[in-house]
Every structure is written in C-alpha cells, then in structure tokens.
Amino acid sequence: MVPTPNNRLTELLDQVRTEFESQAARTVEYEHQISTQMNEMELVRQKVYQLEQQQIQIKQKYDDEIARLHRELAENRGVQSQPPHVSGPPHSTGPSQGPQPPVIGHGHGGLFGGIMANGPNQGLAPPQEQPQQQQPPHQMPQPPPALTQQGPPQPQPPFTYPPNQPLNNGTGGYGAQPPQPTASPGPARRKPGPGLPGPPTPQQNQTAPYPDPRASPRVARPTPPLQNLNVGNTLADLDPDRLPPHQKKEGQDWFAVFNPRVQRVLDVDLVHTLPHDSVVCCVRFSHDGKYVATGCNRSAQIFDVQNGARVSYLQDDSVDKEGDLYIRSVCFSPDGRYLATGAEDKVWDIKSRAIKHTFTGHEQDIYSLDFASNGRHIASGSGDRTVRVWDNDAGQQVLTLQIEDGVTTVAISPDGHFVAAGSLDKSVRVWDVITGNLVERLEGQEGHKDSVYSVAFAPNGRDLVSGSLDKTIKMWELQPPRGMLAGAGPRGGKCIRTFEGHKDFVLSVALTPDGRWVLSGSKDRGVQFWDPSSGNTQLMLQGHKNSATSPIMAHERNSEGAGAIKSTMPSSDGQLIQTVGWKANNFFKVVRRQNSFQKR
C-alpha cells in the first residue's frame, strides 16, 4: 500500500514559497525606492553645486564693486586707492609691498596650540617689512630736561631679596621642575635648542574681520531707524550710524559709543596719532605722565605727550642685523631716567641713549616687564616659563620663579612686595618677592577658561585685574594676610567681578590711578571702560581700523589681527589713555563730565 502524502508538510512548504515570493517582490520595490532616492540626492548635489557656483560669481561681482567704490572714494578724496577689506582667500599679486600681518603657530607640546595654526613651531611673527631708510639716532632731537632730570622717587620701605638662587617652586610652588632649554625667535642671541615659541597675539579661525559700520563708502541715504539698544555690555553690537547723537562721538578715523543703559559720565577725544615705520607691540607712560614709550621692530621710541614729538630713539646697533627683533615690552623707571625693554633684556639710560645693563638668563624673549616702585628692581616674564627679578643697581638677577607654562604678563604690587604673573595655563599666580613663596593662585571654577594675557594691580594693592583669551576680565580680591605658613599651600583669591562684553580675546587690562575705572583692550579692536562697582561698561572706543593696515592684508588674509588692541595704558593723572594697533598708536583724552549728561 502507498503511504498517504503528508498534507501538513506540503502546506508549510507552500507557505514558505509564498513568503519568499512576497519578500522577493518587496526587495525589488525597496531597490527601486533606493535607486529613486539616490537619483534625487544626485539632483540635490548638482543643485547645491550650481548654487555654490552662482554664489561665487555673485561674491566676485560684489568684491569688484566694492573695489571700484573704494577707488572712486579714494580718487574723490585725492588719496591713493587701497584694496578693500573683503572676506575670502587672498589673491597673490606678487611680492609684498609692505609688512605682513602677525602670524602665530603651534607651540611644542600644545604650548600655544589651539589658538591658530599657521605652521609648526612658530612664535609671534609680526609683519615682514621692506628695508626702509631710517633716521640715525644722532639726528633725533635731544630729550627735554624733564625727561632726564626728574627728582628721585619717593622713598619706600626697604626690603631685601634672597640670594640669587632659583627657587624650587616648580609646579605651582610644590617641588622643582627643571627648565627645558628653548630657543628664542629673532636673530641668534640665545642658546640653540628645540624652540618653544613665546605667547603670540592670538588669532581666531574666522574668515572676516569684525564688521566696521564706518568702513562703507559715505553715500547719501535716508536717516536709518534707531536700533535696539538692549545689547548689555557688548557695545560692539551697536551701529554708530543708527545711534542718537548723545550716545556716540565720532572722529575722522575713530569713534566711541556710550552704554545707553548707564548714565554717561565720561567724554573722550583724540589728542595724538603717532605713526611708526614698523609694528608697534607695546606702549607705556612715564610715571609723571609727560612721556610715552613704544616698542617696535629693533627699536624703542619715546614721545612727548604734550606735542606728540619724538624725543628719543633707542636702538642697539650691535645685534645681528638679520631677521626681526621685536620689542614686546617697555617700562620706565619711576624717576624717568631709565627705560627697560623686553626682547633683548636691556635697561637704557635715556639721557645718554646708552645701554646701562644687559641682563642674561631668560632663554626666550621677554613678553612683559614692570619696575618696582623703589626704582631698583625689575620683574620680567618670558615664554621660557619663568618670572625673574633683577637688581637694576647691581646689574644682576636676584630671584627666579618657575611655573609649568609660558609667562605672558607680570605686574609688581604698589608696595613692591608682591609680583603677579599670568600664564598660558589659565592661572594667575602671586608671589612674595621677599621670601619667594607662592602665596596666591587664582584659577579653578571662578578662574579664567583660557590663557591669561594681562594682569594689573589695583592702586589699593589688595585687588588685581586679569584679562584672558576667554574674552572676559576678572577682578580678584587677594586674601589677606598673604604670608604663608611653613608647609601651607597658596591661597585662592576671591573673584569679586567678571566683566563680559568683548567679542574677542582680551589682550590688555589696566586701571586708572584712582581705581575708579578698569580699562580693557581686545582683538575686537575695542577699548572698553568698566565701572568696577557695578560691572557695567561706560563706553567703547575704537581708534584702530582695518583700513590702517590694508597694505598688510593685500597679500595675506590675516585680518583678525589687524587693528587688535595689543596694549592699553592710562597716564598717571588718569586723563589720557594710549592704545596700540599694528601700525600706529593713538592718544585719547578721557575726561569726567562735570554735570550729569543731558540728552539733546
């Protein structure tokens, strides 16, 4: 007998076959959908490419139109046309006809990485300059007697420094850390070795400068409507062309805007513009406020504040002529007889224009200097990770303080007993210069979130102000007493105020002699005046515009550095401030208004 077929198995096989055919049909459908979507993506890609090409063409037409308008504007004003400041990559037209903008790069081991990379192992590289016929020093007018015959400084309580031995502070003052040999940028004047570049003027990865509302050609147009004035302390967001007259003040190549949220109690006006033949890296007033010194490529220059005339030109002709040698810090002695210059570590006798001392010890260029109030001691900070104190009378080093990262700025307290330093590691440190102990370390949750580029003591000696690449300014209350017990660690000061309003790196800070105003200079090309009691900004001043450095940018688009306020310094009477851009420095007269400002 033949067995009966297994109907159940047949049924299952039929179900499997049906399911397979169904899945096969769905697979074909999915493949069709995928093919359709890929075709649509290809169409989108082609459309995006076409739009990109159209945008490039429109941008080129826009750039050409801007260039034409600039030429017409220059012809109407009777001056030589300069290339406009437009975004986008540069178009090389041959050898540079002028200095190029500063270039910075990575540092060893991340020392300066993350700011901007223009090549490995590059430090501060200000514009390359064409050789120019410079006046020899002997042709300069003799400085007036007031510059060289100042009275002796006010007597200070005497104190002595420990013997000239490096302290084993090491990491934050807890143990020694041997310095690593480094090579200084510029002509061969340091020991050779693997170079650690010093702190540069930082750059952000942006493709266009901050908008300058006054850079467009002046054409007839209707009066624009008033803008929204609720910008907080970010006064750079205010358009001067749309502000009422009582909230702005304008000059030929500068303008100031006043905070609409606070009562206007200050006024400002331009006193002098001091042109230079090379990059201006730093400025400093003399203690009597009669003179101002500037640091440039290979030279330091001194100007009379009253008339703006240059009265002294200091240049060491014995150094190697090849390469650049930028003076990144200058400082008058309290009696006005000497000028300390940082790069090559020199102290000049201003009257004789001779070098009094050349200090050796730093393995990299000096980025900051400060004279003590006794006129005898000088503090210097360098990219070699050290702060050093020098005896100007004896001509020798008396103290070495070592930290973990490059030192960008130093300041000595008004009583001369403490020295503060800002660093690339985001910290501010304060040492007792008599004992060499680290007594304050300002960092942590209340501290800066990026490198500190400027510090300044308040006139009361109890407060300290710091500016950072995190775009903020902080005011610290140092913890009294600042002495240290044996075995105790450094104290952490209290951050009593954070000033926020700059749109870019804060590169310099200062206080007026009466301590009533905090000044800050930024790479957003603005100087702001802050009320430390409220944290509000009173005004923003812009006196360095991209047009001043347009020949530099014609061959290398580095416009973020152009016009950056590298240094801001008030005079001793608080009536003048000086700001530094890349090619010139300006004096601005700031006065307190006698009566409450009334809207017109």
Side-chain angles (χ1 to χ4, degrees):
M1 174 181 285
V2 179
T4 302
N6 192 336
N7 294 332
R8 180 58 179 168
L9 177 59
T10 302
E11 182 182 351
L12 291 175
L13 289 174
D14 290 339
Q15 291 178 357
V16 170
R17 185 184 301 108
T18 301
E19 182 67 22
F20 175 80
E21 292 173 351
S22 175
Q23 292 297 332
R26 294 176 63 182
T27 299
V28 173
E29 181 181 355
Y30 288 151
E31 290 177 351
H32 177 70
Q33 292 178 358
I34 291 174
S35 177
T36 302
Q37 292 176 358
M38 291 180 63
N39 292 335
E40 291 177 354
M41 292 176 61
E42 179 64 16
L43 291 175
V44 171
R45 189 194 67 81
Q46 293 177 1
K47 185 63 175 178
V48 170
Y49 177 78
Q50 293 173 0
L51 292 175
E52 182 180 6
Q53 295 302 311
Q54 293 176 7
Q55 189 271 339
I56 292 175
Q57 295 175 3
I58 294 173
K59 178 182 177 298
Q60 184 62 44
K61 292 180 181 179
Y62 175 82
D63 293 348
D64 294 341
E65 181 67 10
I66 291 294
R68 182 184 66 79
L69 292 174
H70 273 269
R71 288 194 298 270
E72 291 179 0
L73 185 61
E75 291 172 359
N76 292 337
R77 291 180 176 176
V79 299
Q80 183 179 2
S81 176
Q82 295 182 349
H85 294 274
V86 294
S87 61
H91 300 281
S92 178
T93 57
S96 173
Q97 300 301 317
Q100 295 183 351
V103 180
I104 67 171
H106 289 299
H108 178 72
L111 184 60
F112 308 105
I115 300 178
M116 180 177 177
N118 284 337
N121 297 326
Q122 294 180 356
L124 175 62
Q128 300 295 323
E129 302 174 295
Q130 295 293 332
Q132 298 182 0
Q133 194 71 23
Q134 236 175 9
Q135 294 182 346
H138 67 271
Q139 294 181 355
M140 299 308 304
Q142 293 294 327
L147 179 62
T148 58
Q149 298 178 2
Q150 303 293 332
Q154 295 297 324
Q156 299 290 331
F159 63 92
T160 58
Y161 288 88
N164 179 21
Q165 294 181 357
L167 295 179
N168 294 328
N169 296 57
T171 304
Y174 302 113
Q177 180 181 9
Q180 301 181 11
T182 55
S184 171
R189 58 193 184 278
R190 310 282 191 201
K191 296 181 291 185
L196 279 178
T201 296
Q203 307 289 336
Q204 280 188 327
N205 294 327
Q206 299 176 346
T207 58
Y210 281 92
D212 190 345
R214 303 179 66 253
S216 59
R218 295 292 182 179
V219 296
R221 60 184 184 273
T223 302
L226 296 181
Q227 66 180 137
N228 179 17
L229 302 181
N230 188 20
V231 297
N233 287 325
T234 311
L235 301 188
D237 286 341
L238 295 175
D239 183 349
D241 289 339
R242 299 173 61 189
L243 288 175
H246 62 272
Q247 289 179 353
K248 65 181 178 181
K249 190 165 186 178
E250 297 182 274
Q252 182 177 1
D253 58 354
W254 65 273
F255 67 90
V257 294
F258 297 87
N259 192 343
R261 300 186 305 116
V262 301
Q263 182 183 16
R264 177 176 167 184
V265 296
L266 296 178
D267 200 5
V268 61
D269 206 351
L270 178 66
V271 177
H272 296 301
T273 297
L274 307 177
H276 288 70
D277 294 330
S278 80
V279 169
V280 181
C281 296
C282 55
V283 294
R284 201 69 171 260
F285 278 104
S286 61
H287 284 243
D288 59 11
K290 295 180 179 179
Y291 300 94
V292 67
T294 63
C296 308
N297 186 13
R298 294 186 169 274
S299 70
Q301 304 177 38
I302 301 176
F303 295 84
D304 188 310
V305 169
Q306 187 68 28
N307 55 30
R310 186 170 70 183
V311 297
S312 188
Y313 186 96
L314 306 175
Q315 179 171 332
D316 184 2
D317 295 324
S318 66
V319 300
D320 191 348
K321 302 297 184 183
E322 297 181 0
D324 295 322
L325 182 60
Y326 291 93
I327 308 301
R328 297 182 174 91
S329 184
V330 293
C331 185
F332 283 97
S333 61
D335 60 6
R337 295 174 57 195
Y338 305 112
L339 183 73
T341 60
E344 292 291 292
D345 322 333
K346 294 180 173 63
V347 177
W348 294 82
D349 185 306
I350 298 175
K351 182 177 180 179
S352 64
R353 299 177 189 169
I355 298 173
K356 174 179 172 66
H357 296 302
T358 298
F359 295 119
T360 58
H362 280 298
E363 297 177 348
Q364 280 198 348
D365 286 351
I366 289 176
Y367 290 94
S368 184
L369 290 167
D370 200 16
F371 253 103
S373 56
N374 63 5
R376 177 175 180 178
H377 297 101
I378 306 171
S380 60
S382 168
D384 65 3
R385 307 175 182 177
T386 64
V387 176
R388 298 172 190 258
V389 179
W390 314 84
D391 187 323
N392 189 41
D393 292 346
Q396 64 183 10
Q397 177 180 315
V398 295
L399 187 63
T400 301
L401 305 165
Q402 184 174 327
I403 65 172
E404 307 94 296
D405 218 332
V407 178
T408 57
T409 174
V410 295
I412 298 179
S413 62
D415 61 7
H417 288 182
F418 301 93
V419 59
S423 172
L424 295 172
D425 64 4
K426 312 175 188 178
S427 296
V428 177
R429 297 169 174 82
V430 181
W431 290 272
D432 184 321
V433 293
I434 299 177
T435 64
N437 288 330
L438 179 66
V439 295
E440 302 266 4
R441 184 159 180 170
L442 312 177
E443 59 184 2
Q445 186 174 359
E446 290 187 332
H448 286 292
K449 308 307 179 186
D450 208 336
S451 302
V452 178
Y453 262 60
S454 185
V455 295
F457 276 97
N460 61 19
R462 300 187 305 272
D463 300 329
L464 183 139
V465 174
S466 58
S468 167
L469 303 192
D470 64 9
K471 308 178 187 178
T472 69
I473 305 101
K474 290 183 179 290
M475 175 169 279
W476 304 86
E477 183 181 63
L478 303 179
Q479 297 291 333
R482 280 184 289 223
M484 277 185 61
L485 300 176
R491 300 173 181 265
K494 177 183 178 183
C495 180
I496 57 177
R497 185 76 66 188
T498 297
F499 306 91
E500 295 181 279
H502 280 295
K503 301 186 70 172
D504 211 329
F505 304 136
V506 176
L507 303 178
S508 60
V509 294
L511 293 99
T512 54
D514 58 7
R516 298 186 65 177
W517 298 99
V518 174
L519 282 66
S520 60
S522 168
K523 205 162 72 62
D524 63 14
R525 296 183 294 114
V527 175
Q528 295 199 186
F529 286 67
W530 305 85
D531 183 345
S533 62
S534 66
N536 291 324
T537 183
Q538 167 75 194
L539 67 89
M540 182 200 67
L541 172 66
Q542 284 199 1
H544 297 278
K545 299 167 66 77
N546 286 336
S547 58
T549 54
S550 57
I552 297 175
M553 293 185 289
H555 299 286
E556 181 171 351
R557 291 297 299 184
N558 193 7
S559 57
E560 283 76 31
I565 305 300
K566 186 70 167 61
S567 182
T568 305
M569 183 61 59
S571 62
S572 58
D573 60 4
Q575 294 294 302
L576 293 174
I577 67 165
Q578 187 176 37
T579 66
V580 167
W582 282 116
K583 288 292 289 182
N585 54 321
N586 295 333
F587 282 117
F588 287 94
K589 184 177 183 180
V590 181
V591 297
R592 177 173 292 275
R593 302 176 69 87
Q594 297 300 321
N595 300 317
S596 297
F597 185 77
Q598 301 294 329
K599 294 186 178 180
R600 294 190 296 270

